[in-house]
Amino acid sequence: MFERAFVGRAAELAALTTTFTGPDAPWLLLVDGPAGIGKSRLIAEFVGAARCRVLMVTSAEDAQSQPHYLADDIVEQVGEGAGAGDGSAPGVTPDSRDRAELVRHVRRALGAVETLLVVDDAQWADLESLRLLTFLIRNRPARGFRLLLSFRDGGCPPSIARLVRAPRVRTVHVRVPPFTEADVDGLLPEEDPGRRARLFTASHGNPLYLTLLADLPDRELDRALHGEEPDPASDDFAALDRTIRAELAQLPDTERLVAQAIAVCGLPPDLELLCSTAALAEEAVVAAVDGLVRRGVVSVGDGAVTFVHPLIRTAAYRVSGHGWRAMAHRRTALALRARGASMPSRARHLEHALLGADEIAGTELRLAAAQVLADAPAASARWLSAAARIAPATDDPLADALALGRAQLLSGAAAQAGETLEPAAATAGRHQLEALLLSARCARMLGRIDQARTLLAHGATLPRRPGDGPVQLELAILEMQDHQDSEGRARLTALFDSDAIDDPAVRAAATALRCLGLLADARIAEAAQLYDPCGRAFGLLTDTVLREVVHAAPAFGWCAYFLDRDADGLHHLDRAIAVSRRFGRTYALAELHTVRAYSLAKLGRLHDAIAAADEATDAATTFGYPDLLSFAGALKLRTLQLTAPPAAVTTQWHTVSALARPTVRWWRQVVETTLTDIARTLDLPACAPPPPNGRPGPLTPTHLARAARAAIATGDLPAAADLVTRAEAAAAATSHAVHLGEHSVATVLITPVGDLGSQVGAAALARADYAAAMGDVAVAAAAAEVAVAAFARAGMVVNRAQAELIAGVVAGRCGDFGRATSRFASARAVFLATGATRLLDEVTTEQRRLAGAQRVGSPTALTRREREVADLAANGHTNKAIAEQLCLSPRTVEDHLSRVLRKLGLAGRAGIARKLGELDIAESTA
């Protein structure tokens, strides 16, 4: 923990500083608040601004039994100022024998010059020192004297509290409040806003807890806030040990012991359980609890005792020794067993107790593990491991291995789960099919694709058993991910023909998989018919039922993405993420966040998409899911290209490029295409874009359109023409669009009829780019309008604005400056709202070009210098080469070339030679 900025507290600081406005201002300053609220920090800021002599003393609990200790500190401070030319009384020392005379000398010394005396933590002042303070309050040393006392809630000494109402005592009372959310933003500006908000909520606005929590890594933060036992061996609690734990260590022995017992109990304990855990008599425990309440460590209410903050519980747990803590857990478990408490409440203590061979405890741990598997698989895995250690012999060891492996996998420990499941997967019997399935999922998460295929192939040969619908569903998911489409479809068909489909969860998940399979085959109409009933089926599942098939929710999310139903898909994805977190199905989070990121980016929620991609990356890293690392990273890369500076984009490109490529075919194609596209814009070396795999799919038009635009950028117009035509044909097939004429590069081939606006828009945008490059502004304008309407229908606001930008460029070249201005303004508003800064720069450039075009008389009349630049560009010279040949600067060449393109109605260099030839012919025949 380190010193943070002074934030907030403006009103409290002002209330203190106004006491220096004049001799009649309040002079007794009282500052109170709970421990850690920032009293000392406020006082330090106030003292730093005080324009008078300041004397500061601090009370200490361990010195409270020493008579006069605080008074002696005050005398010492006064004595240090004596004889320094300030007129203070000489001879004031703690050794003075006459206390009454000493008090008078102190009063005179304090009144000699304007003085502020600060007594921090006054609740621990000894009785004799309190007499000195009360004397000074009753007999103010001089009109320039001020006394500031700080104390914890309820800690104002009674003798001082009585004097506050005295007629001649002018008082200002400042209670230090918790931080507001704005205060936390100022204190922790370096934190991610989401984590900062979480820290604010968790800290209750207490600055001490806030800074301690901020120093913890996320995993230990979760443990501290969720009431889990902290890892006593962790090195992540250094700041905690320096503060709260150090203070607890100084408690009287009995109070410290009871605080440790409360921490071990975990859930708010009653008096009887607390006595059993602490191994103390009831009277001693009651007295200790009263002392802890007075100190602000615990509170008592609703028949239970609790710490005032989870961090204090963490510190109290860690301050106890390992041996004492283990025996305390054992005593608590035995007490809970005696009263017939639930198995999970017993197991939480049994796992930490020092247990030898214990069949009863082993049985309890296994029963508890089964009860919490759905909600807390990590706890289930720990308890099963503990049971195997103390009671290894059971009637069915393979069932035990399967249960432990299942819990480990559900909690995200894929490597451990794979090792645990090996015996059950290798042994014929009723457990083998599920063990093979779980082992295959472990292998796939760890990137061991060949191993996963071998396990699945073995599992596919086993006979089906009653009640194994979820198992068959898992097999279908893995087969489809592994491109075993025919096997996956056959398994789904068999599943729909079985009794297992009567399970609503199985039906919903199987319908989502069938819908996704139809989309993979570009059977869009059939998939669309399944989507709505599938969504209703998922919506009818309760959270406890959904958790059993939450791993199938990504399939439904992808269906929404492919069918342009992203907003609806996000609703279901958000719910699935909440269920995964609530019930410990954390292994599903990586893919859920990935699908969510792609949908958010598609809808133009760019910053949210980046955050979701980061969450997907974190989950994939935690649970060892390499396929999703590069797949989520590619989405972040493409989004950063729109929102971030080139340096950030380049860093992300190198990060993704260094990752292994996904094994899922279309994931791999997305990653490789993204890397190639972005490398071209950054002038980075990259491989050629991967060829389309030839299989129809819902994103085929988008992939072909991107390839076409890449070909246009490099000047390969014949290849671009073929790719644009194929993109339009694929868009027509997936969206039932209508052709307007022959497949000709000069004809608009599509209109926005059908549902997949995302694909129609992608193909239309590619047609607009190609037509503009060829100088066919009429076709470019029509295609751009088709793209605008299609993207609007799909809810893709950024893509729609990109189409509007192109429509504006084409309108400007046609001389329709009003329409161009309108399109540019609309695109600018979207880019500004979504944070697409790079596209915002493109709009600015085009608006400047439009303004320049409006000042030019003839749109096609080239100046002599423009013609020279145009001729060299038509012959393939770069801007730099043209600048050197014509003795111009590269920037001047760029300006000339921009005017040439505008006058000729071109989007790029590709059509310059043809346009110049047309101009030459026109001039020769004129």
Side-chain angles (χ1 to χ4, degrees):
M1 187 175 68
F2 53 89
E3 185 71 14
R4 309 240 183 211
F6 180 77
V7 298
R9 313 293 191 235
E12 292 73 32
L13 184 60
L16 294 176
T17 55
T18 53
T19 61
F20 283 103
T21 57
D24 295 325
W27 59 273
L28 177 59
L29 291 63
L30 304 178
V31 178
D32 76 336
I37 202 64
K39 299 184 295 296
S40 298
R41 187 74 174 87
L42 172 64
I43 292 169
E45 198 73 12
F46 168 59
V47 166
R51 298 180 179 178
C52 66
R53 179 175 66 166
V54 177
L55 306 177
M56 294 188 66
V57 294
T58 301
S59 304
E61 183 179 13
D62 57 357
Q64 194 172 10
S65 60
Q66 302 175 21
H68 308 291
Y69 87 93
L70 192 61
D72 290 345
D73 286 349
I74 296 173
V75 170
E76 188 75 33
Q77 294 250 0
V78 171
E80 290 176 359
D86 55 11
S88 57
V92 181
T93 68
D95 295 331
S96 300
R97 292 287 179 257
D98 187 345
R99 282 285 167 180
E101 181 61 24
L102 180 66
V103 169
R104 289 192 290 272
H105 274 298
V106 169
R107 179 174 179 269
R108 286 195 297 271
L110 290 173
V113 296
E114 186 176 5
T115 301
L116 169 64
L117 173 61
V118 178
V119 181
D120 201 4
D121 282 333
Q123 72 274 4
W124 289 324
D126 63 278
L127 185 61
E128 289 76 8
S129 298
L130 281 174
R131 292 194 179 104
L132 170 61
L133 293 175
T134 56
F135 175 81
L136 294 175
I137 295 173
R138 290 195 306 270
N139 304 275
R140 184 181 183 186
R143 296 187 72 186
F145 172 76
R146 286 163 179 79
L147 174 62
L148 188 155
L149 304 174
S150 81
F151 44 84
R152 292 185 180 179
D153 278 346
C156 183
S159 59
I160 291 178
R162 286 192 295 269
L163 290 174
V164 170
R165 300 180 180 85
R168 292 185 299 170
V169 179
R170 303 198 61 191
T171 307
V172 60
H173 187 173
V174 174
R175 177 168 178 78
V176 184
F179 272 167
T180 65
E181 194 164 2
D183 295 335
V184 175
D185 293 345
L187 188 73
L188 304 173
E190 73 283 357
E191 290 282 359
D192 173 78
R195 191 172 193 265
R196 193 162 57 214
R198 186 176 177 221
L199 289 170
F200 168 67
T201 302
S203 68
H204 307 161
N206 184 296
L208 174 63
Y209 300 149
L210 184 70
T211 51
L212 290 173
L213 290 167
D215 287 340
L216 292 177
D218 286 339
R219 181 176 180 182
E220 293 299 341
L221 175 62
D222 289 339
R223 292 170 71 101
L225 298 182
H226 293 160
E228 297 181 32
E229 275 69 29
D231 181 2
S234 172
D235 293 328
D236 297 322
F237 289 88
L240 184 65
D241 290 346
R242 287 195 302 267
T243 51
I244 304 175
R245 184 179 174 190
E247 185 171 336
L248 291 175
Q250 297 177 10
L251 291 173
D253 290 344
T254 304
E255 290 183 20
R256 186 180 69 252
L257 193 66
V258 171
Q260 293 171 192
I262 298 170
V264 165
C265 287
L267 296 175
D270 52 45
L271 181 60
E272 291 77 11
L273 184 61
L274 192 53
C275 290
S276 298
T277 303
L280 292 172
E282 181 177 307
E283 295 77 9
V285 170
V286 170
V289 168
D290 287 342
L292 293 171
V293 171
R294 284 194 301 271
R295 298 172 190 277
V297 175
V298 302
S299 62
V300 176
D302 298 327
V305 56
T306 57
F307 289 102
V308 296
H309 193 276
L311 278 183
I312 301 181
R313 189 223 165 200
T314 299
Y317 191 85
R318 285 170 58 83
V319 81
S320 57
H322 292 273
W324 184 91
R325 188 166 51 239
M327 294 308 298
H329 276 297
R330 183 184 182 92
R331 289 192 294 269
T332 306
L334 293 175
L336 290 171
R337 181 187 295 170
R339 63 171 61 176
S342 68
M343 291 298 174
S345 66
R346 300 185 215 178
R348 198 178 61 77
H349 296 283
L350 289 172
E351 71 167 304
H352 297 293
L354 290 174
L355 298 173
D358 191 330
E359 292 291 338
I360 296 176
T363 300
E364 291 176 331
L365 285 165
R366 288 188 173 92
L367 289 172
Q371 292 176 21
V372 304
L373 175 65
D375 302 327
S380 179
R382 293 198 311 272
W383 295 347
L384 288 170
S385 295
R389 184 180 67 250
I390 64 174
T394 68
D395 295 335
D396 194 346
L398 292 180
D400 290 345
L402 183 62
L404 177 57
R406 185 189 302 114
Q408 290 171 333
L409 175 59
L410 289 177
S411 63
Q416 289 178 279
E419 295 177 4
T420 302
L421 291 164
E422 281 183 10
T427 305
R430 60 193 180 93
H431 305 305
Q432 188 178 23
L433 178 58
E434 186 175 1
L436 286 167
L437 168 68
L438 296 176
S439 297
R441 182 167 288 278
C442 293
R444 181 168 293 281
M445 289 178 65
L446 296 170
R448 302 168 185 169
I449 306 306
D450 291 338
Q451 179 185 356
R453 287 173 179 158
T454 301
L455 292 166
L456 283 176
H458 189 187
T461 65
L462 299 180
R464 295 189 53 182
R465 296 175 179 272
D468 72 351
V471 176
Q472 298 298 327
L473 183 65
E474 291 267 2
L475 281 170
I477 292 173
L478 293 177
E479 286 167 342
M480 294 177 71
Q481 284 187 343
D482 199 34
H483 317 311
Q484 301 177 36
D485 302 312
S486 59
E487 293 87 345
R489 283 194 293 268
R491 194 169 300 279
L492 284 175
T493 298
L495 190 57
F496 273 98
D497 291 339
S498 71
D499 294 340
I501 205 66
D502 294 335
D503 183 334
V506 172
R507 174 177 287 278
T511 304
L513 290 176
R514 176 168 280 181
C515 182
L516 190 60
L518 292 171
L519 286 166
D521 291 336
R523 295 161 64 181
I524 307 301
E526 295 172 75
Q529 289 178 349
L530 278 183
Y531 179 83
D532 285 327
C534 184
R536 287 192 295 270
F538 269 107
L540 291 174
L541 299 180
T542 64
D543 286 355
T544 53
V545 175
L546 176 60
R547 74 185 177 196
E548 302 305 323
V549 291
V550 74
H551 55 280
F556 182 71
W558 287 122
C559 292
Y561 177 82
F562 292 138
L563 290 170
D564 293 347
R565 303 288 296 275
D566 299 272
D568 180 67
L570 284 171
H571 168 73
H572 289 280
L573 289 169
D574 287 341
R575 183 187 173 210
I577 288 171
V579 167
S580 296
R581 286 174 171 160
R582 175 184 171 192
F583 295 111
R585 299 299 203 263
T586 48
Y587 74 96
L589 288 174
E591 190 170 358
L592 286 167
H593 280 301
T594 300
V595 189
R596 186 171 181 271
Y598 274 85
S599 289
L600 288 167
K602 185 177 170 185
L603 294 177
R605 295 170 56 183
L606 303 181
H607 295 294
D608 289 341
I610 291 173
D614 285 339
E615 291 194 75
T617 298
D618 290 343
T621 301
T622 300
F623 303 128
Y625 207 149
D627 270 18
L628 287 174
L629 286 174
S630 56
F631 190 42
L635 181 277
K636 181 177 180 179
L637 173 60
R638 200 173 281 280
T639 308
L640 284 175
Q641 188 195 23
L642 303 178
T643 60
V649 182
T650 301
T651 299
Q652 179 66 11
W653 187 92
H654 285 295
T655 298
V656 177
S657 181
L659 296 171
R661 302 296 182 263
T663 55
V664 178
R665 186 184 297 118
W666 65 272
W667 292 7
R668 183 171 63 251
Q669 182 176 358
V670 168
V671 172
E672 292 177 346
T673 301
T674 299
L675 287 171
T676 301
D677 289 348
I678 306 302
R680 186 182 300 110
T681 65
L682 298 173
D683 292 328
L684 293 171
C687 299
N693 57 37
R695 180 184 178 185
L699 294 182
T700 297
T702 292
H703 294 152
L704 291 169
R706 283 178 175 161
R709 298 181 76 182
I712 294 168
T714 59
D716 190 355
L717 295 183
D722 176 65
L723 289 165
V724 168
T725 301
R726 289 168 58 195
E728 290 172 332
T734 59
S735 66
H736 300 90
V738 177
H739 288 253
L740 295 182
E742 292 183 349
H743 285 210
S744 166
V745 295
T747 306
V748 180
L749 300 178
I750 52 177
T751 61
V753 178
D755 293 328
L756 292 192
S758 58
Q759 306 311 307
V760 171
L765 202 59
R767 169 62 68 189
D769 275 345
Y770 176 79
M774 296 300 295
D776 194 341
V777 291
V779 170
E785 294 301 329
V786 170
V788 169
F791 285 135
R793 190 168 66 256
M796 300 169 65
V797 293
V798 173
N799 299 78
R800 186 204 75 208
Q802 287 178 288
E804 289 185 304
L805 175 57
I806 292 178
V809 170
V810 174
R813 290 173 187 167
C814 294
D816 190 346
F817 298 123
R819 186 173 185 80
T821 299
S822 175
R823 286 300 193 188
F824 288 154
S826 179
R828 171 177 285 278
V830 172
F831 297 151
L832 188 63
T834 58
T837 54
R838 185 183 68 80
L839 297 176
L840 199 61
D841 293 340
E842 290 186 18
V843 176
T844 300
T845 299
E846 294 300 337
Q847 286 177 318
R848 289 172 179 168
R849 287 177 179 170
L850 180 67
Q854 291 175 285
R855 294 192 294 268
V856 177
S858 171
T860 58
L862 301 182
T863 66
R864 179 182 60 80
R865 180 64 81 186
E866 288 170 355
R867 180 59 191 246
E868 289 175 342
V869 171
D871 285 333
L872 291 172
N875 289 320
H877 293 281
T878 65
N879 286 5
K880 182 178 180 181
I882 296 172
E884 291 174 352
Q885 187 164 338
L886 298 180
C887 298
L888 301 172
S889 71
R891 178 59 182 271
T892 301
V893 171
E894 183 179 342
D895 291 340
H896 281 309
L897 191 57
S898 295
R899 287 193 292 272
V900 167
L901 295 175
R902 185 177 66 250
K903 290 180 178 182
L904 298 181
L906 297 174
R909 292 166 169 251
I912 291 179
R914 179 176 62 83
K915 278 290 188 179
L916 291 179
E918 293 175 356
L919 287 176
D920 290 341
I921 293 173
E923 290 175 1
S924 65
T925 57

